[in-house]
Amino acid sequence: MRDPYKLSVGVPSVEVFRRLRTDAGLSDKNSEAVALALPNTWHGVVLHHEGEPICMGRIIGDGGTAFQIVDLCVHPAHQGRGLGRRIMAALTEELERRAPATAYVSLIADGPARFLYEKFGFADTAAHDSIGMYRVMSGGPGPRGMDAAPSAEVRIRP
């Protein structure tokens, strides 16, 4: 039987990226931000069904010490068929092939997706005396590139 799904390396267009995220229930990102982000992808994959992009995943990072798996999403009409697992397998295979052995790879697991990620060796950071933290930038750039966030000055004494 012919596999109707074809995996390709790369990233989708800005429009397809936004559609895949929102179709899968993830938050939308504005076009300008996506246009800046996609060329900075360390490795990305898109899964097509009969030529139509229906899944994606990306790895971002500095190329040496830190990587993050992001934007993993599957169109709802194709969920439950192991496609998220295919995307994760492609991403982790590339990490194992190219990332240094001491690299730190992170991701944010929403809901039951954690069970998929655990199958690829990811563990809850809280079990290791760490917690994941995040900040969403809202509005536009404020003072010092931060969105009106309070600043703390650090002085180093000689």
Side-chain angles (χ1 to χ4, degrees), residues 135 142-155:
R135 176 181 172 189
R144 294 175 213 61
M146 305 283 283
D147 186 37
S151 64
E153 188 173 321
V154 177
R155 293 179 191 251

Side-chain angles (χ1 to χ4, degrees), residues 77 111 136 156:
V136 176
I156 300 174

Side-chain angles (χ1 to χ4, degrees), residues 41-59:
T41 300
W42 185 78
H43 185 72
V45 292
V46 180
L47 193 65
H48 297 81
H49 178 257
E50 299 176 353
E52 180 70 21
I54 51 101
C55 307
M56 70 174 172
R58 298 188 311 133
I59 301 169

Side-chain angles (χ1 to χ4, degrees), residues 75-134:
H75 188 282
H78 298 271
Q79 290 177 359
R81 299 178 188 177
L83 303 178
R85 183 181 302 233
R86 274 176 83 168
I87 296 289
M88 274 301 291
L91 296 175
T92 55
E93 285 169 11
E94 191 66 14
L95 284 163
E96 290 167 0
R97 190 175 77 78
R98 290 178 42 209
T102 57
Y104 185 83
V105 181
S106 64
L107 55 78
I108 295 175
D110 295 326
R114 71 174 298 147
F115 301 113
L116 169 65
Y117 303 138
E118 286 172 349
K119 291 176 182 170
F120 288 90
F122 288 85
D124 186 337
T125 59
H128 300 281
D129 251 357
S130 296
I131 60 166
M133 299 179 77
Y134 75 99

